[in-house]
């Protein structure tokens, strides 16, 4: 059972449910925001995130770190409560092939085409799976705990079959300029989970971060992955100089992938 230290919010906290083994995990004060439980204040203990990740195989509740968003704070808002969410669509995850999804999001060259080197105007397809040498959950726990130690994050917890499913479970709209179908976002995240051990650990209004247990080790696989990243987050790609080959150089061995849409 999850147990929140909040005494007047027991019914809407994650602590109201049992995991079937009698194990307990004490959470800070917090409450439900639709399908997402969120701590009232930023968490400061890195061990708490590690414990939530370790409990996931028993509980089916995945922890994500919720960053501050000055854009909404300046207006006295919290995007979790003051911006709309779509209807959950996690039952539709996987109905589309991830390669087809990314191909549908692919855009042709924005200049003379050199930015897409070493590829042409067509989406080149998916990168092959990387050999896995570390446990994705352990990697996610360690990476997330380091973010807690150095950041200012509230803790969010969502019931999900897999970490990748959280956007669809929540009806997240962070990619609304690309798609309003959160199940497609989760379909791609599942594929990255399977191929690279890439695990969602941070979720904002229009940003997310993945911990990566098995990043590509070769330039060719990294180049194909860079094309996937471009399809997934064109805004971020066009904001930096260089080509897909340049981006790929930074993905070889990289264990943290961050995306933003603004």
């Amino acid at each position: 059972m999850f147990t929140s230290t909040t005494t007047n919010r027991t019914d809407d906290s994650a602590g109201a449910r049992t995991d079937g083994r009698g194990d307990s995990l004490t959470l800070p004060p917090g409450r439900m925001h639709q399908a997402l439980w969120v701590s009232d204040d930023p968490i400061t203990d890195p061990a708490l995130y590690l414990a939530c990740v370790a409990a996931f195989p028993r509980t089916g509740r995945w922890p994500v770190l919720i960053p501050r968003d000055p854009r909404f704070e300046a207006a006295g808002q919290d995007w979790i409560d003051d911006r709309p969410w779509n209807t959950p669509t996690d039952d539709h995850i996987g109905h589309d092939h991830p390669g087809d999804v990314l191909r549908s999001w692919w855009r042709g060259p924005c200049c003379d085409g050199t930015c897409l080197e070493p590829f042409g105007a067509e989406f080149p397809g998916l990168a092959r799976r990387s050999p896995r040498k570390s446990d994705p959950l352990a990697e996610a726990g360690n990476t997330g705990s380091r973010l807690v130690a150095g950041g200012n994050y509230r803790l969010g917890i969502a019931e999900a079959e897999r970490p990748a499913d959280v956007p669809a479970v929540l009806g997240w709209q962070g990619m609304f300029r690309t798609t309003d179908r959160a199940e497609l976002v989760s379909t791609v995240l599942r594929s990255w989970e399977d191929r690279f051990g890439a695990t969602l650990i941070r979720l904002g209004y229009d940003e997310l971060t993945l911990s990566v247990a098995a990043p590509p080790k070769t330039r060719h696989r990294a180049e194909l992955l860079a094309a996937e990243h471009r399809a997934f987050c064109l805004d971020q790609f066009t904001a930096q100089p260089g080509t897909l080959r340049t981006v790929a150089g930074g993905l070889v061995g990289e264990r943290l992938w961050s995306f933003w849409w603004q």
Side-chain angles (χ1 to χ4, degrees), residues 134 136 139-140 143 196-199 210-216 253-257:
S134 61
E139 185 82 19
T143 302
F196 304 105
T199 307
L210 309 176
S211 165
V212 186
E254 176 57 48
R255 292 183 175 271
L256 197 69
W257 300 346

Side-chain angles (χ1 to χ4, degrees), residues 76-191:
Q77 297 179 335
D78 184 339
W79 69 267
I80 293 175
D81 291 321
D82 298 316
R83 286 296 183 270
W85 301 77
N86 286 335
T87 301
T89 54
D90 48 303
D91 55 336
H92 294 144
I93 300 172
H95 289 187
D96 299 86
H97 189 277
D100 294 337
V101 172
L102 289 169
R103 184 174 289 105
S104 73
W105 293 344
W106 180 260
R107 299 293 179 265
C110 54
C111 53
D112 59 1
T114 56
C115 61
L116 300 183
E117 292 177 353
F119 305 114
E122 300 298 321
F123 180 65
L126 300 182
R128 290 176 54 193
R129 179 192 302 264
S130 288
R132 184 167 299 174
K133 296 184 179 180
S134 61
D135 176 57
L137 293 189
E139 185 82 19
N142 290 333
T143 302
S145 66
R146 289 196 295 270
L147 291 180
V148 171
N152 187 359
Y153 299 98
R154 286 179 292 169
L155 176 66
I157 298 179
E159 292 193 17
E161 182 179 337
R162 300 169 54 162
D165 295 358
V166 169
V169 165
L170 300 179
W172 185 67
Q173 290 195 22
M175 282 181 62
F176 69 91
R177 291 201 297 179
T178 301
T179 181
D180 62 355
R181 296 176 57 191
E183 75 273 14
L184 298 184
V185 179
S186 288
T187 292
V188 173
L189 295 186
R190 275 192 180 188
S191 180

Side-chain angles (χ1 to χ4, degrees), residues 3 6 14 21 49 57 59 86 95 100 119 131 144 176 200 235 244 246:
T3 303
T6 307
R21 286 184 40 169
Y49 189 79
T59 65
N86 286 335
H95 289 187
D100 294 337
F119 305 114
F176 69 91
L200 178 66
D235 289 353
L244 282 173
T246 304

Side-chain angles (χ1 to χ4, degrees), residues 5 23 25 69 126 133 153 175 217-218 229-230 254:
T5 57
D23 296 333
L25 180 64
D69 197 319
L126 300 182
K133 296 184 179 180
Y153 299 98
M175 282 181 62
K217 298 297 185 183
T218 68
H229 282 204
R230 179 185 185 270
E254 176 57 48

Side-chain angles (χ1 to χ4, degrees), residues 66-74 77 79 154 204-207:
I66 311 295
R68 292 182 57 234
D69 197 319
R71 296 172 298 179
F72 297 105
E73 291 177 358
Q77 297 179 335
W79 69 267
R154 286 179 292 169
Y205 171 67
D206 53 7
E207 58 184 309

